[in-house]
Amino acid sequence: ISIDWEDVAYIRTGRVMSVLLDGGEVILGRLTTESGKLLVGGEPVEFPQVVGIASASPREFDLWTADISVGLNFRSGNVEQKDLNTKVSLKRRTVKNNTKMSYTGNYSESESEQLANNHTASLSHDYRISHKWFFRPIQAEYYRDPFQNREAEWTVGFGAGYQIFDSPKLDWTVSAGPGYQRTEYVDVVEGEDRTVSTGAFLIGTFYDQDITDNIELEVDYQVTLTEAKAGRAKHDFYVALDVDLTSRLDLRLAGTWKRIESPQPDSDGITPEKDDFTATLGLALEI
């Protein structure tokens, strides 16, 4: 059952919750509200002091959520083609920490010839400092796309972020920080290094909004700035529109855009296209 926050008149939690207060103090207790005031374990707490609320359950399973989406396309007859698009997101949230892991894969084959085969795996961990600010001690990504002349690309970094909006229907954050990138090319022009290591600067934003009770919009964008020999700038943009079919199953229309400002030519002097676009229609399961 989903209830709009503005329609809630009274709260009583059935389990012990962990409450982070402004200043870093964490208190435990069941939550209740009386006459517009919050009580934690029977003790009054001012609403403006509350930075975050999460489950204090000792079960690790209660701290995790998962989102799995799959898109499939098969053609036969005059054209034999198959396409597979997969995205898996895992999130672990406590009152102070927020860990995200994701995997995205796209594979396409026609007449036994590969048309696409790219994979992206990412990890980030955020530590809440205050109502608006958080510290990101680790951010990492693995990327592989032979059609972009990327055999393997590793990016690691750290930084800080700011919560622009944090409401029941809108979540919007921005983050930035320095990093390091190591790129291994599939093939390069004679005399060029096949492996390039360089410093990087990462800038990203995440936007999640409930447009209606049944429709949700998610936007995730990150740009990685590096030296020209590593691509100069890599843009990763993801947008998804989810329509509720059941309480856990959504119909998802998603699109991705990847752009490398300075692609590395191969040994034949052929330079990959800067932009790659993907659009998928599939099902998403929330756990």
Side-chain angles (χ1 to χ4, degrees):
I1 300 175
S2 297
I3 302 172
D4 290 338
W5 184 252
E6 56 266 25
D7 295 333
V8 175
Y10 180 82
I11 293 175
R12 179 196 296 264
T13 63
R15 64 176 60 176
V16 175
M17 305 298 288
S18 177
V19 181
L20 174 64
L21 303 182
D22 199 3
E25 182 184 1
V26 177
I27 56 177
L28 304 177
R30 288 183 170 85
L31 306 187
T32 58
T33 57
E34 291 183 5
S35 303
K37 295 183 179 180
L38 175 65
L39 302 177
V40 182
E43 297 296 324
V45 174
E46 296 294 330
F47 275 110
Q49 289 183 284
V50 178
V51 176
I53 300 173
S55 171
S57 170
R59 296 198 313 162
E60 181 68 19
F61 180 79
D62 292 336
L63 305 178
W64 289 86
T65 59
D67 184 285
I68 304 171
S69 62
V70 177
L72 296 171
N73 178 43
F74 295 96
R75 299 180 185 178
S76 62
N78 293 316
V79 176
E80 298 289 338
Q81 183 171 332
K82 55 185 177 182
D83 305 293
L84 172 63
N85 312 101
T86 305
K87 184 175 178 65
V88 179
S89 299
L90 298 174
K91 296 180 182 179
R92 182 185 186 274
R93 183 187 176 189
T94 66
V95 71
K96 279 190 174 183
N97 299 277
N98 189 14
T99 303
K100 296 181 180 179
M101 294 179 284
S102 69
Y103 165 78
T104 304
N106 297 289
Y107 180 84
S108 181
E109 181 182 297
S110 179
E111 305 294 343
S112 299
E113 180 181 353
Q114 285 191 12
L115 303 178
N117 186 7
N118 58 76
H119 307 270
T120 304
S122 64
L123 165 70
S124 67
H125 179 79
D126 297 335
Y127 180 83
R128 179 74 71 172
I129 299 174
S130 67
H131 278 86
K132 295 293 186 179
W133 290 96
F134 59 87
F135 173 59
R136 180 166 291 174
I138 181 65
Q139 179 176 350
E141 180 185 272
Y142 168 78
Y143 174 59
R144 181 181 187 275
D145 187 353
F147 292 90
Q148 268 288 357
N149 200 10
R150 249 71 174 176
E151 179 65 31
E153 185 171 82
W154 296 90
T155 306
V156 294
F158 67 95
Y162 183 78
Q163 187 93 43
I164 300 176
F165 287 102
D166 185 10
S167 68
K169 293 189 176 182
L170 178 58
D171 180 14
W172 187 10
T173 61
V174 293
S175 61
Y180 167 84
Q181 181 172 288
R182 182 181 184 275
T183 304
E184 181 181 343
Y185 293 109
V186 177
D187 194 14
V188 294
V189 177
E190 186 176 355
E192 295 289 338
D193 293 330
R194 187 165 174 261
T195 301
V196 174
S197 299
T198 176
F201 193 78
L202 293 74
I203 305 171
T205 183
F206 177 80
Y207 183 94
D208 190 352
Q209 180 183 8
D210 290 339
I211 299 176
T212 69
D213 292 340
N214 300 317
I215 300 176
E216 180 182 356
L217 174 66
E218 179 182 324
V219 178
D220 194 356
Y221 171 72
Q222 178 173 295
V223 57
T224 304
L225 305 176
T226 62
E227 298 179 14
K229 60 183 179 180
R232 186 175 287 115
K234 185 178 74 172
H235 303 264
D236 291 281
F237 180 82
Y238 172 80
V239 59
L241 193 67
D242 289 352
V243 179
D244 293 344
L245 299 178
T246 68
S247 60
R248 294 191 179 273
L249 191 63
D250 296 341
L251 178 66
R252 173 168 295 174
L253 175 62
T256 61
W257 168 57
K258 290 184 178 290
R259 176 180 174 87
I260 297 177
E261 294 292 343
S262 298
Q264 180 73 24
D266 60 20
S267 58
D268 296 324
I270 300 175
T271 303
E273 295 288 338
K274 294 182 178 181
D275 299 286
D276 283 311
F277 300 91
T278 304
T280 60
L281 179 64
L283 297 176
L285 177 65
E286 299 176 1
I287 304 175

